[in-house]
Amino acid sequence: MRNPSPPRRRWLVLALAAATALGTVNVLSAQGAEIAVPVTDPMNPDLGPNTFVFDPSTPPAEIQSRVDTIAAGQKTNQFGPERYAVLFKPGQYDADVNLRFFTQVAGLGRHPDDVNLNGHVRVEADWLQQGDDPNNLGNATQNFWRAAENLSVTIPQGQIERWAVSQAAPYRRMHLRGQVQLWNGYDGWASGGLIADSKIDGFTESGSQQQFYTRNSELGGGWGGSVWNMVFQGSTGTPPQNFPNPSHTVLDTTPKIREKPFLHVDDSGSYNVFVPSLRNDTKGTSWGGGNAPGESISLSEFLVVKPDTSVATVNAALEQGKHLLFTPGVHHLDDTIRVTKPNTVVLGLGLATLTPDTGKTAMTVADVDGVKVAGMMFDAGPVNVPSLMEVGQEGASASHAENPTSLHDVFFRIGGPGVGKATTSLQVHSNDVIGDHMWLWRGDHGDGIGWDVNTARNGLIVEGDNVTMYGLFVEHYQQYQTIWNGENGKTFFYQNELPYDPPDNQTWGSPGGGTQGWAAYKVGDQVNTHEAYGVGSYSFFNVNPAVVASRGFEVPDKPGVRFQGLVAVSLGGVGTITNVINTTGATANEPNQVSYVTKYPQ
């Protein structure tokens, strides 16, 4: 005879049965409090006032007016609280989307070609002064924090697409019918970006892009251009391996990847989140042969989190087994969001932003299988936190090789909107974690900026084994930018700028053997196996150009620790990096501003 359901389970079943009528489910929190968790209607979800959903019946003038209004407000708004998501249901559209700060444009089909925009989804370099000429606004080096995903674009005949971006601006699951320029097309600067799981039919011209990462994509018209660090992985139509002149690092396959989850609408009109399957040793897009394999989860299984949703409600929903969909906006936290159940999906729309206000870590992920966190930004508040995000706990040892936790388009910021403080941005204790495009940034401009103001010791600390990072950007932290203590770690593309603002080497000096400054990437002395491909570190010590960093990369000299395609750059000759890696590589300084090492050990 089966045991009857425990009282709490019977109560929960009854509560769920009444959910449709009541609109909420009362859940007992871990502390015993009864909390009302809103129920999501997957046919008509409330995605917040800053999410705009269009279908083919929407008049084109209405669509154009809306995207133009958003673009006008967000053109220079890199530190404001406004966030937007512009979503298109399957069908054909005529639209010119000029994509500005904190705006996501995405299709709601299962396949990128389910939505086609005749026109543009573009990013222009047309607002930031470059050099001393106030009329030269072609600078794209601050075109951050925006995203284009899961749709196709057919550009007008004779025109090109412009995608003049720098960090935290993914071009993902896109099909571009035409050619693209990755800078303003003339004389503008640009500083990094990502093309992933995308197909570009025409020629891709990188121009002045200083570094760029292209993964699992099809470059139908080929690629032209190189500056310091261009990495191509698991892609077709790429240039051949040829480092350092041109600086192309080409890797034939991607060893283990799960593509980013995304929102879609099924044939009945119901909203779901699609979670792509884990893939091994891949080349090309996930969708080239049709719909990618994976699982669709009804939005009824998600809590739709709005900026006024309490953390207590979020955690109660997580305890209930719900997933989370964050609507566009800045979500201020008075407690830690605790993800404890395996296979939980946490997805943000419009670069939804979490700001911890009380000195507590914004989000922790337990040492469990298969959590996916995607499309989220973590923005430090004025009260210092030990870390903005933690994956696993100290001493975590379980294997997650068959179902790893993955982080997709997850960004961190310390300062800029105002004072922000966090000792570490991200700590990874779990094994087998996959990082799929992340930018960890201690601000170098904006409000609340200064050596003793927006304090942040380290960007990323990896303690877990078998952790893999694809497209990792870490910049301006005050000690080691990245510390990697786990075994068998792998990094594919790394971009770093050392802090601009060390007052002097007495203030900014690491403890290792009398070295000056702190390396951009530190592999722990005890580590025996580690690999990194296409990695760069740059100096721009504008507060004190006499400051010196002894090395860009600091690693143990062991046969299993191998680096390929390294570069150190003194930007404009402002500051010095003495060696690229350990004591290898020529000095990067004013007379010799770029220094390459093809591989290490040599």
Side-chain angles (χ1 to χ4, degrees), residues 276-300:
S277 298
L278 189 69
R279 302 189 298 152
N280 294 294
D281 299 320
T282 57
K283 188 167 188 172
T285 66
S286 66
W287 48 269
N291 285 335
E295 174 193 13
S296 277
I297 306 172
S298 171
L299 210 62
S300 64

Side-chain angles (χ1 to χ4, degrees), residues 14-191:
L14 291 172
L16 289 170
T20 302
L22 296 177
T24 61
V25 173
N26 291 331
V27 176
L28 290 176
S29 72
Q31 292 74 33
E34 191 172 287
I35 297 174
V37 176
V39 172
T40 301
D41 177 2
M43 298 298 295
N44 188 30
D46 181 358
L47 302 179
N50 287 353
T51 299
F52 299 93
V53 180
F54 300 121
D55 64 47
S57 69
T58 309
E62 179 181 331
I63 296 174
Q64 196 61 55
S65 175
R66 173 58 61 189
V67 298
D68 287 348
T69 298
I70 293 172
Q74 297 300 100
K75 182 176 181 178
T76 63
N77 192 25
Q78 62 176 310
F79 297 121
E82 294 79 10
R83 306 284 188 271
Y84 296 96
V86 179
L87 309 178
F88 292 87
K89 291 184 177 181
Q92 293 283 330
Y93 301 84
D94 296 322
D96 178 7
V97 180
N98 190 355
L99 197 60
R100 300 296 191 175
F101 282 107
F102 289 108
T103 306
Q104 174 196 29
V105 59
L108 290 173
R110 271 280 280 109
H111 190 283
D113 288 344
D114 290 344
V115 176
N116 181 64
L117 267 62
N118 296 299
H120 294 277
V121 174
R122 58 191 172 93
V123 176
E124 300 289 352
D126 61 358
W127 65 275
L128 182 64
Q129 181 175 330
Q130 178 166 302
D132 297 326
D133 182 0
N135 297 313
N136 185 344
L137 301 178
N139 189 346
T141 60
Q142 292 180 27
N143 277 356
F144 311 141
W145 301 311
R146 60 201 77 194
E149 303 178 65
N150 195 37
L151 49 80
S152 62
V153 179
T154 302
I155 62 176
Q157 188 173 1
Q159 297 186 22
I160 62 169
E161 195 69 287
R162 191 105 61 213
W163 191 255
V165 300
S166 290
Q167 291 83 356
Y171 196 81
R172 185 186 286 276
R173 277 183 62 86
M174 296 289 289
H175 181 189
L176 177 64
R177 296 180 173 92
Q179 60 179 328
V180 63
Q181 293 178 333
L182 303 181
W183 87 116
N184 76 336
Y186 303 98
D187 60 352
W189 303 331
S191 183

